[in-house]
Amino acid sequence: MRTRTHVRPERSAVELARREDVAEGQNPVAPKQSPEPGRRAHTRDRLGRFGLFAAPGLLVYLALVLVPIAIATGYSLTDKNPFHPPTRWVGLDNFAGLASDGEFFTALRNTVVVTVIVTVVTNAGGLAIALLLDRRGWLYNALRSVFFVPVVLSAVVVSVIWQAILVDDGLLNSLLKQLGMDHPPGWLSDPSLALYTVSWVIAWQGLGFCVVIYLAGLQGIPQELHEAAEIDGCGPLMRFRHVTWPMLAPAVTINTVMSLIGGFKAYDQVQVLTNGGPGPGTTSTLAFQVIQTAFMGNHIGYASAMAVVMLVVVAAVSVVALRLLQQREVSS
Amino acid sequence: MTTAPKARLRPLAASLAGLLFFLPIYIVLVNVLKNGSSIVSNPVGLPFPPTLDNIDNVLSRPDHLFWYGLVNSTEVTVISILVVTVISAMLGHYLARSTGTLAKVAMVVLLCGLMVPPAVILTPITEVLRAVGLMSTVPGLILAYVGYYMPFGVFVFAGFVKTIPRELEEAAALDGAGAFRTFWQVVFPLMRPASASVLIFLGVWIWNDFLNPLIILGPAAGTTVTVGIYRAIGEHQADFGSVFALMFLATLPILIFYLAFQKQFVKGLTGGATKG
């Protein structure tokens, strides 16, 4: 027994008519005015369009992103090492190894620290500077460009600049010595400081991006809202709390998610500034650890297990952050 | 009203924040024009008299580090951004206009690619490139970029397609233009703002990238300007004059590119982005 097909509203008119045909006529093979040739040509046309417009991009993405993710997942279950063939299947051993690997957990912890610092500093600093620069005039336009310049620079260039400033006998410490400090901090050589120094450099570079997004958000707030709040007797702080901040919710979402994803990618600055040190892995991030294990240690299987964990963590964190922040957007 | 002192406070605070923030870049700029001894004795002072020795040293290095890097970086960046723009414009348009479930799934899978850290897929990519004989080559590096940045291109173009009335395409089709002609003569020219953002963003990202050329090109197949800087700091740690000059020269092309398209770049950042 066939009941009347439920037709979803987004179906095309042609398809809709065809379905009604079948449902209305009791006999499905009843008189139809031979739609076959036209339909076949239509299918061929659609296939052609797919091949022409969609296939190249999908193929490249498949071959260079999806297949590599699949390969990494496969490797994570082996002990692959190009210098110790043959590769054996080890099941979940790599993941079990990660669970008791101090270096891995240090890298995970470091990544979380860097990500949190970068997210907080770029958002708080970016918002503060955006509020400061939210005016018209040549001075503010010029300053916007100033804050944006580091965004356009290579992370390697930024790291080398800060290295010159922050090494033990660098510019900052010679200044501190001139100011009378006998033992200035080892910004990059003190194991308890280096991770914060690296985070600072990453945040300095990312700040301009947040400034631009927040400025755009501020300019999207209707002036009437501010005026209305002022008439209601709100001071600047209250206006910020009840008008500016809720209206900036979408900008907060973008900046936070971008910083979170960016923090997890952190590699260049670690490599150039500290090479994972000083001491064993004090500034090593997940991305750094994966690359070191894969290309310096040649433990491809183990590095792949790390990469899989990293991917899952990034996905989970960004989905949760996106959900939470977008909820705020709706409710405000 | 007591706004007068406040009104003067804002430009002052803003300028001070800007100066502090810009200090590291200022240090590079002034020291490019100083010789080694005055960098050490007076790192923050203005370069008097200015000298072009550092720049000259970098340009006339016997190993041509800068020039080889410049050629590679330019080739890789230009080809990658053009290929990504063309392919992702077609794919983005196709997916945004398709109503099928498969197209929607493809879209979601593509957008997930936006958050994949490069380190995660780099090892397998080297395997894929080795399998097709492109490891340690410039085309291999370009291919890696095209795959990795495809999601970003599709994201931008698919979003932009929604601002183009479907009727324009239907009119072109009625006039007898095929899908190919409709796309290239009607749709693609209309997507110019989206193309500009994709070209500029990817231009900056790819020019500045470090990890991919470091691993994929490797030491044998030359270098890009970014990797060149990294190699140069290993060689002469103390000679900040030369390193700064190399950084300055390596950044100049992308900085000019950025300044030329600055408006477009910022528009791409903020266009619709904060509207939610």
Side-chain angles (χ1 to χ4, degrees):
Chain A
M1 257 301 270
R2 237 197 119 147
T3 48
R4 202 185 157 91
T5 350
H6 185 71
V7 181
R8 301 232 310 275
E10 74 254 32
R11 295 286 181 208
S12 71
V14 182
E15 214 172 321
L16 203 129
R18 202 186 296 136
R19 288 196 174 210
E20 297 287 18
D21 266 359
V22 177
E24 233 84 65
Q26 296 299 327
N27 185 354
V29 249
K32 270 190 273 178
Q33 36 315 35
S34 67
E36 285 316 320
R39 201 161 156 201
R40 198 168 292 158
H42 182 63
T43 312
R44 206 172 49 228
D45 184 47
R46 275 183 49 168
L47 261 179
R49 271 171 39 100
F50 176 83
L52 194 63
F53 290 103
L58 289 178
L59 262 174
V60 171
Y61 183 67
L62 184 75
L64 293 157
V65 179
L66 295 185
V67 167
I69 290 176
I71 294 179
T73 313
Y75 283 168
S76 72
L77 304 170
T78 69
D79 67 349
K80 185 176 170 68
N81 180 334
F83 295 102
H84 294 284
T87 299
R88 283 178 308 126
W89 187 265
V90 298
L92 295 174
D93 281 7
N94 285 328
F95 293 95
L98 284 179
S100 58
D101 181 344
E103 273 181 41
F104 171 72
F105 276 100
T106 308
L108 187 63
R109 195 190 66 94
N110 290 345
T111 307
V112 172
V113 171
V114 170
T115 306
V116 169
I117 293 180
V118 170
T119 306
V120 171
V121 171
T122 54
N123 275 283
L127 180 57
I129 290 162
L131 286 168
L132 204 54
L133 297 186
D134 187 25
R135 285 287 184 282
R136 284 169 197 284
W138 65 269
L139 177 70
Y140 300 104
N141 285 336
L143 285 171
R144 273 172 218 187
S145 302
V146 162
F147 283 98
F148 199 70
V149 166
V151 178
V152 189
L153 300 183
S154 167
V156 171
V157 167
V158 167
S159 304
V160 176
I161 297 175
W162 278 99
Q163 197 180 34
I165 297 170
L166 295 167
V167 286
D168 284 351
D169 51 356
L171 298 175
L172 179 59
N173 280 1
S174 23
L175 182 74
L176 289 177
K177 273 181 192 157
Q178 276 172 18
L179 292 177
M181 193 187 260
D182 285 337
H183 300 286
W187 305 104
L188 291 167
S189 61
D190 181 345
S192 61
L193 261 184
L195 187 64
Y196 301 105
T197 310
V198 171
S199 307
W200 163 254
V201 174
I202 300 175
W204 181 80
Q205 178 161 29
L207 188 75
F209 185 90
C210 286
V211 171
V212 171
I213 298 287
Y214 279 129
L215 272 171
L218 287 174
Q219 275 150 17
I221 302 176
Q223 195 55 42
E224 297 82 57
L225 280 182
H226 284 294
E227 285 159 10
E230 210 168 348
I231 291 168
D232 287 348
C234 286
L237 269 176
M238 290 269 276
R239 280 210 303 277
F240 177 79
R241 171 74 189 81
H242 295 290
V243 178
T244 313
W245 181 240
M247 290 297 283
L248 279 180
V252 176
T253 305
I254 296 166
N255 281 335
T256 307
V257 173
M258 292 294 285
S259 319
L260 287 178
I261 295 177
F264 272 94
K265 289 180 181 170
Y267 173 86
D268 302 9
Q269 295 89 349
V270 175
Q271 171 81 59
V272 177
L273 284 170
T274 60
N275 201 10
T282 46
T283 55
S284 139
T285 55
L286 276 181
F288 183 78
Q289 189 83 3
V290 169
I291 296 296
Q292 287 287 312
T293 313
F295 293 101
M296 314 304 153
N298 291 304
H299 298 294
I300 308 266
Y302 196 63
S304 301
M306 244 182 257
V308 169
V309 173
M310 186 174 163
L311 196 59
V312 171
V313 174
V314 177
V317 168
S318 17
V319 168
V320 170
L322 209 58
R323 276 279 153 79
L324 286 178
L325 291 163
Q326 279 179 339
Q327 227 161 32
R328 207 191 124 229
E329 282 177 32
V330 176
S331 67
S332 54
Chain B
M1 290 291 260
T2 52
T3 47
K6 258 189 191 168
R8 252 172 285 141
L9 205 62
R10 181 186 290 269
L12 203 71
S15 309
L16 201 67
L19 278 179
L20 265 176
F21 186 84
F22 198 69
L23 200 60
I25 293 168
Y26 164 82
I27 288 171
V28 172
L29 291 178
V30 291
N31 285 331
V32 164
L33 301 174
K34 288 185 207 163
N35 60 36
S37 58
S38 58
I39 293 179
V40 177
S41 60
N42 184 15
V44 223
L46 285 170
F48 281 120
T51 163
L52 291 177
D53 283 357
N54 291 324
I55 290 187
D56 195 44
N57 280 345
V58 170
L59 294 181
S60 59
R61 276 172 69 115
D63 63 354
H64 304 296
L65 180 86
F66 173 70
W67 294 110
Y68 287 155
L70 187 69
V71 170
N72 273 337
S73 280
T74 310
E75 191 182 350
V76 168
T77 307
V78 170
I79 298 177
S80 302
I81 64 177
L82 290 180
V83 174
V84 174
T85 304
V86 167
I87 297 184
S88 65
M90 295 193 295
L91 180 56
H93 175 254
Y94 181 90
L95 290 179
R97 287 284 192 245
S98 304
T99 46
T101 322
L102 218 61
K104 282 191 182 122
V105 172
M107 193 70 181
V108 171
V109 172
L110 265 164
L111 294 187
C112 287
L114 282 174
M115 62 187 179
V116 175
V120 167
I121 53 171
L122 193 51
T123 321
I125 280 181
T126 61
E127 304 276 325
V128 171
L129 291 178
R130 203 166 278 132
V132 292
L134 287 176
M135 185 57 187
S136 303
T137 67
V138 167
L141 182 59
I142 292 173
L143 213 54
Y145 283 137
V146 172
Y148 186 74
Y149 287 120
M150 187 67 58
F152 178 75
V154 170
F155 174 70
V156 173
F157 281 111
F160 194 80
V161 165
K162 298 195 176 95
T163 66
I164 302 174
R166 206 183 263 265
E167 287 75 26
L168 284 172
E169 290 162 56
E170 285 163 358
L174 280 178
D175 287 346
F180 193 73
R181 257 188 82 166
T182 307
F183 182 79
W184 287 113
Q185 296 194 344
V186 177
V187 180
F188 194 66
L190 287 171
M191 296 201 293
R192 190 173 298 163
S195 307
S197 334
V198 171
L199 284 170
I200 300 159
F201 267 96
L202 295 191
V204 170
W205 287 340
I206 293 175
W207 183 274
N208 287 335
D209 188 37
F210 170 59
L211 181 56
N212 285 294
L214 181 74
I215 303 286
I216 292 178
L217 281 187
T223 171
T224 61
V225 284
T226 307
V227 177
I229 294 167
Y230 176 68
R231 301 232 163 99
I233 47 168
E235 281 170 37
H236 28 227
Q237 212 96 46
D239 186 3
F240 273 117
S242 288
V243 174
F244 284 171
L246 180 58
M247 295 197 315
F248 176 72
L249 290 170
T251 306
L252 211 50
I254 198 66
L255 209 59
I256 292 170
F257 178 72
Y258 159 69
L259 288 174
F261 293 98
Q262 189 186 18
K263 281 229 169 73
Q264 206 68 51
F265 191 75
V266 175
K267 224 184 270 168
L269 263 180
T270 55
T274 49
K275 304 264 158 42

